[in-house]
Amino acid sequence: MPPQASTALAPTPVVRLEALSPPGVDVYAKLEWFLPTGSLKDRVAVAMMEKARAEGLISPGTRLLEPSSGNTGIAMARLAMLWGVPLTVVMPEGSSTERIETMKTFGTRIIFSPQPEGANGAVRVAEEMAASGDYLMLHQYANPANVEAHYAGTGREIVTQLDRVDVLVAGLGTGGTLMGAGAAVRESFPRAQVVAAEPPVGELITGLRSMEAGYIPPIFDADRIDRRVLVRLRTTIEHTRLLLTAEGLFAGPSCGAALAVALRVAREMRSGTVVTIFPDAGWKYLSTGIYTGPLDQAVDRASDQILW
């Protein structure tokens, strides 16, 4: 079953945040929205699906299933459509209209999990469905190919694009980015710190997850990061807007969360280089209303939505 289009992914750019870098410190951002479906999850989808196909797990009769709050589902939907394989995505109620409609455009079937459970609820429902034996679930939260994609892709690209990395900041979601990119960065820069941007329990931010919320992704090892920094929803939206007005970058809310932590770390340093990973652009979140109007209203609107 040959693919109808290349799955090769070109490197994404790293840019210096000129207006926001504090004196003496260079803050860089890796812009993952240059990937085919506009997010870093293209790396994960390609790695998981190509590995499964190479192992003979994907055939014309395969029915794929994946829990996702948006971007992984979209990235998998693209390949599933090209390969002629049906895909069902379990995603939380309250996900943005853009993500839902994009997956439908690719022909993906969507099942909604309870909104209050966030991404954890999508995992629970998908695991229950997979237990029937009717589906192949590649399971980004437990699949080593997720980590491998960020090691060989995201991380190796960073170390070829930058001469120095003192701190790597990434959002804590499945854990794949922190584990994979963190390992690659440390190989080239052994003293580099790996820092996670993490929401507090109960705040549904950008597909990020609190380690206190009851589900630890099997691919994530907390001992392999140096620091976890909490970032609130309000701060996330403030920094997402700041990226737009200060740097002209129309970014998704998870980028705002990563930026907030990256700047906090950078301000604690006298010199050095901080690089953070911006997972996607803002177009998938326009319907959430986080970019315009009074900040308080934007926070209230976003409080009952899943932003990633």
Side-chain angles (χ1 to χ4, degrees):
M1 182 179 54
Q4 300 301 306
S6 173
T7 57
L9 301 176
T12 60
V14 168
V15 299
R16 185 177 187 274
L17 302 181
E18 300 287 348
L20 296 176
S21 294
V25 180
D26 295 311
V27 179
Y28 289 89
K30 189 160 179 60
L31 308 184
E32 294 287 86
W33 57 72
F34 280 83
L35 291 167
T37 66
S39 88
L40 87 173
K41 294 297 186 178
D42 279 302
R43 300 183 188 273
V44 177
V46 167
M48 293 196 307
M49 291 180 69
E50 287 284 16
K51 181 180 179 182
R53 192 173 65 152
E55 293 172 350
L57 299 176
I58 296 180
S59 66
T62 302
R63 298 168 65 194
L64 288 171
L65 172 71
E66 189 67 20
S68 171
S69 48
N71 282 328
T72 301
I74 291 170
M76 288 183 64
R78 167 180 171 264
L79 290 183
M81 179 191 70
L82 292 172
W83 294 1
V85 178
L87 169 66
T88 297
V89 169
V90 181
M91 65 188 306
E93 295 172 335
S95 299
S96 69
T97 301
E98 293 89 345
R99 282 170 292 164
I100 295 169
E101 291 303 313
T102 300
M103 276 188 272
K104 288 181 178 178
T105 298
F106 283 122
T108 297
R109 175 188 176 216
I110 298 174
I111 292 177
F112 292 103
S113 58
Q115 184 271 343
E117 296 182 44
N120 289 353
V123 173
R124 178 185 60 78
V125 171
E127 288 178 339
E128 291 172 356
M129 293 175 62
S132 69
D134 295 333
Y135 299 93
L136 171 64
M137 186 167 76
L138 300 182
H139 205 343
Q140 59 177 324
Y141 295 90
N143 196 320
N146 183 345
V147 177
E148 293 163 8
H150 288 296
Y151 172 83
T154 322
R156 297 307 305 164
E157 288 174 24
I158 287 171
V159 301
T160 61
Q161 291 167 320
L162 296 174
D163 296 327
R164 173 179 179 177
V165 176
D166 296 292
V167 183
L168 169 70
V169 175
L172 180 50
T174 65
T177 307
L178 287 159
M179 297 295 99
V185 166
R186 279 194 174 128
E187 281 186 0
S188 294
F189 307 102
R191 294 186 177 182
Q193 289 198 331
V194 177
V195 178
E198 178 182 354
V201 175
E203 294 206 3
L204 303 175
I205 299 177
T206 66
L208 308 184
R209 66 177 56 252
S210 167
M211 290 297 100
E212 312 303 325
Y215 177 77
I216 308 296
I219 61 172
F220 178 73
D221 180 358
D223 291 335
R224 292 171 57 190
I225 62 174
D226 298 286
R227 187 175 175 188
R228 291 156 53 194
V229 179
L230 292 182
V231 57
R232 304 296 301 266
L233 177 59
R234 184 183 186 90
T235 302
T236 292
I237 295 175
E238 285 177 330
H239 283 75
T240 304
R241 292 183 175 194
L242 181 62
L243 273 174
L244 187 61
T245 58
E247 298 285 354
L249 294 176
F250 181 37
S254 62
C255 305
L259 174 68
V261 174
L263 292 182
R264 175 174 170 177
V265 171
R267 290 176 186 130
E268 297 170 355
M269 300 165 58
R270 292 186 176 182
S271 63
T273 298
V274 177
V275 60
T276 187
I277 297 168
F278 285 175
D280 65 352
W283 64 267
K284 296 172 186 172
Y285 309 95
L286 282 169
S287 64
T288 67
I290 65 171
Y291 298 96
T292 57
L295 181 61
D296 288 341
Q297 291 182 15
V299 173
D300 288 343
R301 287 194 299 265
S303 295
D304 61 354
Q305 299 183 62
I306 307 295
L307 295 179
W308 171 261

